[in-house]
Amino acid sequence: KNEVEQSPQNLTAQEGEFITINCSYSVGISALHWLQQHPGGGIVSLFMLSSGKKKHGRLIATINIQEKHSSLHITASHPRDSAVYICAVNRMDSNYQLIWGAGTKLIIKP
Amino acid sequence: EAQVTQNPRYLITVTGKKLTVTCSQNMNHEYMSWYRQDPGLGLRQIYYSMNVEVTDKGDVPEGYKVSRKEKRNFPLILESPSPNQTSLYFCASSRDRIGEWYFGPGTRLTVL
């Protein structure tokens, strides 16, 4: 079993819909990251969380440390949000490695 | 502008011909890392560095070397590339262990 699991693997939605992508992890962590990878390949960090909730524009990320679960929400989705969204965690007891989820491929149709 | 640069962006080479992919960051970050990304396998860490002259193996270090002689640079060296090293490579840097990571644009390598 992977230490970081994302769901769904693939998600197709219509423009304007509210999107939720989930990330569950099985290890103790010191931080959780959400990143975005566009079809062109570049990877951009969206959020880094150790507790609570963060918001940036139409993106909201939440984390529940007790449940070992995080969600990434996109409000009023737009075709330009189409990308792969990746969850990664810093293990609390580890060195300096990130453990990566497999990613969620999101397609927003106009 | 804060950035991580990688060169070359695209490279086609032949088996056994030594190559170096350069990585440089202008943010004075201590932590740097190399990843490869293959379809269906996600990002896998090759090597990482916590500071100058301090490096350690990631999950898939075989066939790769790195060096960290200066804080800003972290080159990835393939001494004798093989076709199974055909992949998309990313360099990344971070200010500290749990800080935000900044990624380079990627290097698409094909080994024939």
Side-chain angles (χ1 to χ4, degrees):
Chain A
K1 189 181 187 299
N2 292 335
E3 292 171 307
V4 178
E5 298 270 1
Q6 283 185 240
S7 63
Q9 223 174 335
N10 295 282
L11 178 57
T12 300
Q14 290 297 131
E15 182 173 357
E17 285 188 37
F18 181 81
I19 303 299
T20 296
I21 298 170
N22 297 298
C23 176
S24 295
Y25 51 92
S26 57
V27 296
I29 69 167
S30 47
L32 181 143
H33 304 257
W34 281 104
L35 305 104
Q36 179 193 57
Q37 185 172 25
H38 273 289
I43 300 174
V44 175
S45 176
L46 297 174
F47 295 104
M48 189 188 70
L49 295 158
S50 53
S51 64
K53 177 178 173 178
K54 286 190 176 180
K55 185 174 189 290
H56 185 256
R58 295 180 294 106
L59 273 58
I60 303 165
T62 63
I63 188 168
N64 184 320
I65 298 293
Q66 287 74 28
E67 299 282 323
K68 293 189 174 177
H69 181 267
S70 175
S71 292
L72 177 68
H73 304 288
I74 305 174
T75 62
S77 59
H78 190 276
R80 66 174 175 264
D81 297 325
S82 298
V84 175
Y85 292 84
I86 308 170
C87 171
V89 302
N90 288 96
R91 283 183 65 151
M92 193 177 289
D93 60 349
S94 179
N95 39 29
Y96 305 95
Q97 294 179 297
L98 285 169
I99 305 173
W100 296 83
T104 295
K105 185 175 182 180
L106 174 66
I107 297 172
I108 304 295
K109 293 185 173 179
Chain B
E1 180 192 351
Q3 61 181 351
V4 179
T5 55
Q6 289 180 232
N7 282 291
R9 294 288 311 280
Y10 302 90
L11 178 60
I12 301 174
T13 189
V14 295
T15 298
K17 186 176 181 183
K18 181 180 178 180
L19 66 93
T20 299
V21 184
T22 64
C23 172
S24 184
Q25 49 92 5
N26 63 359
M27 296 167 279
N28 202 36
H29 284 171
E30 292 198 348
Y31 298 89
M32 298 186 76
S33 188
W34 274 104
Y35 295 92
R36 62 178 289 174
Q37 187 178 40
D38 303 289
L41 295 177
L43 282 155
R44 292 182 293 168
Q45 190 176 47
I46 304 170
Y47 270 95
Y48 60 96
S49 171
M50 294 80 83
N51 211 327
V52 175
E53 303 290 5
V54 184
T55 63
D56 205 350
K57 296 176 182 178
D59 298 315
V60 288
E62 295 79 20
Y64 304 94
K65 284 175 58 177
V66 292
S67 69
R68 187 97 182 268
K69 294 186 170 59
E70 307 163 281
K71 201 171 188 178
R72 65 184 294 124
N73 296 323
F74 189 44
L76 179 70
I77 303 155
L78 285 72
E79 295 268 2
S80 183
S82 62
N84 64 12
Q85 292 177 298
T86 292
S87 188
L88 178 59
Y89 291 87
F90 288 99
C91 179
S93 74
S94 178
R95 181 174 51 88
D96 53 43
R97 186 173 85 85
I98 61 168
E100 180 180 354
W101 283 86
Y102 292 78
F103 283 78
T107 295
R108 190 167 291 280
L109 172 66
T110 301
V111 183
L112 301 174

